[in-house]
Amino acid sequence: MLGLGAYDSSSEDEVEREASTPTKYENKRQPVELSTSASEKTASNRELSSPIVGPSHKEAQPESHFPNEQFPLSTSRTLVHDLTLPPVPNLDIPSSPPGSPDAKANAKFAHFLSLKKQDVHFNEKLALSTSLKNPSLLRKLMEHAGIDDQVQYSTSLPLEVWDVSSLPEWGFKEELLKAQKAVHQKAEEQRITAQRDTIHFVAATTTDSDGVRSAPEVWGRPRDDIYGPYNSSYLQTTGPKTHTQSPAVTGTSVIAVKFHGGVAIAADNLASYGSLARFTDVKRLRVFSESAVIGFSGDVSDMQYIDRLLESIDIRENYSTHGNMLNAKNLHTYLSKVLYKRRSEFNPLWNHILVAGFDEDKKPFLSSADLLGTTYSAPHLATGFGAHLAIPILRRLFPEEKPLEEISKEEAEAALRECLKVLWYRDARSLDKYSIAVITSDGVEVKEDQAIEAQSWAFAESIRGYGAQVN
């Protein structure tokens, strides 16, 4: 209100200002005559041309740095300067330059946000990835980045603070490993010498309060309180790289069959250690991105290696701009190339796999690949002993002249269950618990820990050599 009270302008004042004597200017650079009344009124115009904050007082006006006596145009310059400034500053954010932002970057951010809304987080996937838990990952990353053993100790600090070339020999990991092994060997020699000096009389087994030895995994192991804890450093070796010459823990048959609108695949849950049915809860069907299922037979450790490869591909595809677009045919081509590459390096992956799903034309796809990289496709396939026992059953139920459109999903599942029952009867490396997966256009349906029903061993009495029959 105080500012508005000082603003007393009217049309009469405007007429008087226009009638006042104007300032005389000349084109030549000469001193300009400026009347006293004109200068006062010009100053009043300057005061009224901008927003007034409070009452105006002559003693409160800032003094000019250039007195009018020396610089007669200073008042006019000040007036022109104030009239050209905007009364309200423009604080709006300017628009983006042409060509920005990048369309690919926008699409990638939109894909990340959509995955986050689905509760799929990149950091959690990395934390749960078995590939990043591989102890040899650091060595592979160094090779990929072109960092050798010497460069890994480099730093941005000055040489007088840190110089890798001045490190002593014992400061590197090779010498530290040798020193560690020497200490372990010396302690082992002392322990053996002490055992030879004394004889301990102890009970044969350690029992709990109920008289039963506690943990089955310690059965047959030397006792730690007598022989000391097991020294795992003996497992570390600096010798040449060795390859698997034969599989140790293996899985047996995988069976699959096409039907109208999809593919069904099944495998039991047994992993045998040689001829011992050691592990009875090994799932050998791997679902890839709700579009395909891979069934593994053969070495379990190589199966886990291939599973890590598929997991890394799944992560990379899900976080790409276009999303995961790989189908079953793409996966089969990739895995066959991996198997052939390892075979060419004389370090094969001891697996025979079946890939079931759909191809790029949305048609049912089923194909196999073995440790040599050899591929084969058919309406029904089986690996392991199932290639000899299950394939004749499937050929009898689904002959070649029977079109795929006449085979229903229920018929395919029933045929797989019948084949698994025959394998349980005749294959010593099979189990009566299995997993079955059905791939359709609606997705993948997996049923785990299924049991073979209606078992009957009455047929065994007619087999020569069974029971009391020896002739």
Side-chain angles (χ1 to χ4, degrees):
M1 296 298 294
L2 293 176
L4 295 177
Y7 190 85
D8 50 353
S9 175
S10 64
S11 59
E12 297 177 358
D13 295 338
E14 297 295 334
V15 174
E16 290 178 2
R17 293 191 186 95
E18 292 176 0
S20 61
T21 306
T23 305
K24 297 180 181 180
Y25 291 94
E26 294 182 6
N27 292 336
K28 297 181 181 180
R29 304 187 63 172
Q30 295 179 356
V32 181
E33 297 179 2
L34 186 64
S35 63
T36 304
S37 60
S39 63
E40 292 177 355
K41 291 186 179 182
T42 304
S44 66
N45 285 340
R46 180 179 60 82
E47 295 175 1
L48 298 177
S49 62
S50 61
I52 301 176
V53 179
S56 175
H57 299 283
K58 290 184 178 181
E59 61 271 17
Q61 297 296 331
E63 296 181 0
S64 175
H65 296 286
F66 307 100
N68 292 339
E69 292 79 5
Q70 300 179 3
F71 301 96
L73 295 180
S74 61
T75 304
S76 299
R77 290 174 180 172
T78 305
L79 176 61
V80 173
H81 182 266
D82 289 347
L83 291 177
T84 56
L85 289 176
V88 180
N90 184 12
L91 301 179
D92 295 339
I93 299 176
S95 58
S96 301
S100 64
D102 188 12
K104 292 183 179 180
N106 274 353
K108 190 168 293 186
F109 275 107
H111 185 61
F112 286 159
L113 293 177
S114 64
L115 289 176
K116 195 170 184 180
K117 291 180 181 178
Q118 301 172 11
D119 203 17
V120 178
H121 300 283
F122 182 70
N123 291 338
E124 292 182 0
K125 276 224 169 189
L126 291 180
L128 298 176
S129 174
T130 55
S131 301
L132 297 180
K133 299 178 182 179
N134 188 357
S136 62
L137 180 62
L138 177 60
R139 174 64 58 183
K140 294 182 179 179
L141 289 177
M142 289 173 57
E143 294 176 356
H144 178 72
I147 300 176
D148 55 12
D149 293 338
Q150 192 73 10
V151 177
Q152 67 174 323
Y153 300 104
S154 301
T155 179
S156 58
L157 296 175
L159 291 179
E160 56 270 13
V161 178
W162 173 261
D163 186 8
V164 65
S165 61
S166 62
L167 289 178
E169 291 294 333
W170 53 266
F172 293 91
K173 61 182 180 181
E174 291 80 7
E175 295 297 330
L176 291 175
L177 182 60
K178 291 180 181 179
Q180 185 181 20
K181 287 185 177 181
V183 171
H184 286 315
Q185 184 176 4
K186 185 177 180 180
E188 183 68 15
E189 292 176 354
Q190 292 178 355
R191 185 183 63 80
I192 294 175
T193 304
Q195 285 183 359
R196 291 176 180 176
D197 293 341
T198 58
I199 300 176
H200 299 274
F201 295 93
V202 295
T205 58
T206 302
T207 57
D208 295 334
S209 58
D210 55 355
V212 181
R213 190 161 181 178
S214 56
E217 61 266 17
V218 300
W219 295 350
R221 279 185 52 184
R223 292 182 48 178
D224 293 345
D225 55 346
I226 301 301
Y227 300 99
Y230 184 76
N231 188 4
S232 59
S233 63
Y234 292 121
L235 300 177
Q236 302 175 2
T237 177
T238 57
K241 182 179 179 181
T242 58
H243 301 316
T244 303
Q245 300 301 317
S246 60
V249 180
T250 58
T252 182
S253 307
V254 180
I255 315 168
V257 60
K258 290 182 183 180
F259 62 88
H260 180 56
V263 185
I265 185 171
D268 61 43
N269 297 347
L270 180 65
S272 302
Y273 179 65
S275 58
L276 174 66
R278 179 64 180 85
F279 305 99
T280 59
D281 192 24
V282 178
K283 307 298 189 296
R284 296 187 290 119
L285 298 182
R286 205 281 193 189
V287 180
F288 183 85
S289 186
E290 298 298 328
S291 62
V293 176
I294 299 94
F296 296 89
S297 64
D299 190 70
V300 174
S301 61
D302 289 342
M303 176 190 74
Q304 294 169 343
Y305 170 77
I306 297 177
D307 184 65
R308 288 194 295 269
L309 290 180
L310 295 175
E311 185 177 9
S312 62
I313 294 176
D314 192 15
I315 292 174
R316 184 167 62 250
E317 288 294 318
N318 281 326
Y319 285 93
S320 61
T321 304
H322 51 75
N324 193 345
M325 301 180 64
L326 295 179
N327 52 47
K329 188 174 182 180
N330 301 140
L331 286 178
H332 177 259
T333 303
Y334 169 75
L335 292 176
S336 64
K337 300 299 183 184
V338 171
L339 291 167
Y340 182 77
K341 175 180 179 296
R342 290 290 297 265
R343 169 253 188 184
S344 302
E345 296 174 349
F346 295 95
N347 184 22
L349 296 171
W350 296 79
N351 294 108
H352 193 177
I353 62 173
L354 296 185
V355 182
F358 292 89
D359 57 11
E360 62 273 7
D361 298 328
K362 303 300 181 182
K363 295 181 180 179
F365 176 85
L366 177 61
S367 188
S368 69
D370 60 9
L371 76 165
L372 301 178
T374 306
T375 61
Y376 181 73
S377 298
H380 36 260
L381 292 174
T383 66
F385 227 71
H388 307 282
L389 298 178
I391 290 297
I393 300 175
L394 295 176
R395 287 176 177 172
R396 174 173 52 83
L397 295 175
F398 311 119
E400 294 182 359
E401 57 271 11
K402 187 174 184 179
L404 191 65
E405 289 75 12
E406 296 181 5
I407 303 175
S408 64
K409 171 184 172 183
E410 292 75 15
E411 291 177 345
E413 289 189 39
L416 292 182
R417 298 180 193 277
E418 183 67 24
C419 293
L420 290 171
K421 181 186 292 187
V422 172
L423 289 172
W424 166 238
Y425 288 154
R426 305 301 301 241
D427 186 6
R429 305 294 178 264
S430 62
L431 194 66
D432 58 346
K433 291 183 179 180
Y434 61 92
S435 301
I436 185 170
V438 178
I439 307 98
T440 61
S441 58
D442 297 330
V444 179
E445 180 186 2
V446 180
K447 301 176 183 178
E448 296 181 341
D449 298 327
Q450 301 290 303
I452 294 177
E453 300 175 352
Q455 299 184 29
S456 175
W457 292 91
F459 70 92
E461 296 179 357
S462 60
I463 299 176
R464 179 177 300 178
Y466 177 80
Q469 299 181 17
V470 295
N471 296 324

